[in-house]
Structures are given as C-alpha cells and as structure tokens.
C-alpha cells in the first residue's frame, strides 16, 4: 500500500464549494483517473482520501494539502499528478505531490494554524490605510474578544478568540490588504470571516457583520507546531 500527499490551489468559482462537495469532486476525479485506490470498509466504501483542513466557503487557496492511499506503489507522484489533473475542472490546480510512508500522523492531525490574505474587493470605497491600521491595533490590544456560539447540545456558549489570532497586519497594495495568521485544526480555531467582522467593529464602533463581499480572501498556507514555533506544513515535511 502506498500513501501520496498532494498539494493544490483552489481558484475561481470553485472557492464556493463546501468541504464535502470538494471531497466528492476529488473522489469522482480519482475514479475517472483509474488509479488503484484503497477503499474504506463498511456499508458505503469510499476512497481513503482526506484533506488537511476544511477550506471556508468563499475562500480561494494557494497551497492546500490532501492525502490518499493507493493499493501499490506502481504510480509515481508525477504520474499521479498528470492522471488526476486531467480529470479535474478548471480552477482546481495540482501543484505538487510526494510519496509518504503509510504510517505516521495524518495531515489533519498536524494542522495547527493557517495564514490568510484579504484584499479589498473594490466594490465599495475602501477605508483609509491609517484608519484600518488603527483598527488592527485596537483589536489586537484587547485582552479578550468574546463571541457567542452554539456549544454541545445546541446550548449557547461564550468563547474568547483573542488567543487564536496569532498575527494580524494591514498594508496597501493598490488597496487595503490584510494578512492573518490564525489558529486552526482539530483542537479549535477561528474563522477569518469572524476576524474581519470584529475588525470592522473595531474600525466603525458598531456591532454587526462585515459583508463578505468587501474582501477577497485567500488561504496562503497551513502550519503545524505550537504558536511561536510554527512550521509550514508541506508534502515534503508532512
């Protein structure tokens, strides 16, 4: 049995696919590529495929990661890339693959943070750079950023997301640009949309959601490790 790690970009309209839809897209493409897939056991077998971390709907991606198991090692990573890419729609671009030992932790178990880039969409006038930078400083100066969410059993719970925001910077590249390094993974995390919402609240002083269309969001990379010593998660190092 062989294990292959692969990286891919999500562009265009495909950024609006849900995680489950993206999984189904890959599963169908893998079957059409006639690869020697390993299937799960049980009533409804499916290819042993997993993606490192769900991509928020509406967010494009530069280097997402996935892994799957093949029945043997007769398919080289380069051949795997070629055969699978031929079956994928435009907007889903494979950009690397590597053979991995069948054992070891899964990609999903290693993810602990994610880096995002948010560029102003240009659909409305942008806030002044100084005003945006002041809002970033104001938000990061808060000792707590409390949110209300649904906990176990559907009960309302309160959480502090300030420890989940590792980095947040604002700049100008033809328009406002934000970069965020946020906690992610199975141990918990925060949505970049929620950070944008709280940033808008810090800027305007009014509660409420920041319309998603104001920003074009892209996930740049995934990371493993602890805050302060994060390493980018790649197929070479997974």
């Amino acid at each position: 049995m062989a294990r292959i790690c692969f990286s891919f970009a999500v562009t265009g309209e495909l950024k609006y696919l849900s995680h489950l839809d993206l999984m189904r897209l890959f599963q169908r493409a893998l079957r059409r590529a006639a690869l020697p897939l390993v299937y799960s056991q049980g009533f409804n077998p499916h290819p042993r495929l997993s993606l490192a971390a769900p991509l928020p709907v509406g967010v494009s991606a530069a280097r997402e990661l996935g892994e799957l198991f093949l029945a043997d090692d007769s398919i080289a990573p380069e051949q795997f890339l070629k055969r699978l890419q031929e079956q994928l729609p435009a907007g889903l671009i494979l950009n690397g693959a590597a053979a991995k030992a069948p054992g070891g932790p899964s990609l999903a178990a290693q993810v602990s943070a994610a880096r995002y880039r948010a560029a102003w969409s240009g659909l409305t006038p942008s806030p002044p750079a100084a005003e945006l930078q002041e809002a970033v400083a104001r938000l990061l100066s808060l000792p707590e950023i409390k949110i209300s969410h649904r906990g176990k059993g559907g009960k309302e719970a309160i959480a502090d997301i300030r420890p989940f925001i590792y980095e947040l910077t604002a700049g100008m590249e033809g328009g406002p640009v934000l970069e965020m390094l946020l906690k992610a993974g199975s141990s918990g995390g925060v949505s970049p949309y929620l950070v944008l919402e709280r940033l808008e609240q810090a800027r305007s002083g009014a509660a409420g959601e920041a319309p998603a269309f104001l920003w074009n969001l892209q996930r740049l990379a995934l990371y493993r490790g602890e805050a302060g010593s994060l390493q980018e998660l790649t197929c070479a190092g997974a």
Side-chain angles (χ1 to χ4, degrees):
M1 186 168 61
R3 177 187 178 193
I4 289 185
C5 173
F6 61 95
S7 62
F8 60 95
V10 179
T11 65
E13 297 301 306
L14 291 189
K15 69 181 183 180
Y16 296 110
L17 289 179
S18 69
H19 178 68
L20 289 179
D21 285 337
L22 187 59
M23 286 286 290
R24 293 188 188 104
L25 189 157
F26 269 118
Q27 290 171 354
R28 291 166 183 163
L30 286 165
R31 293 188 182 102
R32 291 195 300 269
L35 293 164
L37 303 172
V38 173
Y39 284 80
S40 63
Q41 303 297 313
F43 181 74
N44 184 28
H46 55 271
R48 286 189 57 186
L49 162 75
S50 62
L51 303 182
L55 185 66
V57 174
V59 178
S60 62
R63 291 188 301 278
E64 292 298 287
L65 296 174
E67 61 184 352
L68 78 158
F69 289 87
L70 301 179
D72 55 61
D73 59 3
S74 62
I75 307 295
E78 297 77 13
Q79 186 181 7
F80 164 81
L81 286 175
K82 181 178 184 299
R83 288 172 62 171
L84 181 56
Q85 186 67 73
E86 290 173 348
Q87 304 302 325
L88 294 173
L92 196 54
I93 305 162
L94 301 178
N95 49 33
K100 309 299 294 183
S106 67
L107 290 172
Q110 297 181 66
V111 173
S112 59
R115 186 176 296 278
Y116 295 89
R117 183 180 188 273
W120 192 259
S121 67
L123 296 178
T124 63
S126 65
E131 184 178 304
L132 192 60
Q133 289 169 348
E134 288 173 5
V136 168
R138 194 175 301 121
L139 184 67
L140 294 180
S141 70
L142 296 175
E144 296 180 330
I145 303 176
K146 295 291 186 69
I147 64 164
S148 175
H149 68 102
R150 294 292 179 184
K152 292 183 178 180
K155 294 183 178 180
E156 185 175 359
I158 303 297
D160 177 17
I161 64 169
R162 179 61 186 89
F164 296 170
I165 305 174
Y166 297 150
E167 296 175 13
L168 178 59
T169 59
M172 294 292 289
E173 296 178 17
V177 174
L178 300 168
E179 193 159 308
M180 298 175 270
L181 181 61
L182 308 176
K183 181 174 172 57
S186 58
S187 62
V190 61
S191 163
Y193 289 118
L194 185 54
V195 176
L196 291 176
E197 174 188 321
R198 291 311 170 103
L199 181 62
E200 175 62 20
Q201 185 175 342
R203 186 182 72 87
S204 66
E209 296 184 1
F213 66 80
L214 292 180
W215 298 93
N216 292 321
L217 269 166
Q218 182 185 38
R219 187 151 75 186
L220 300 177
L222 297 169
Y223 294 82
R224 63 179 177 177
E226 300 297 326
S229 60
L230 293 170
Q231 294 180 317
E232 184 175 345
L233 185 60
T234 66
C235 284

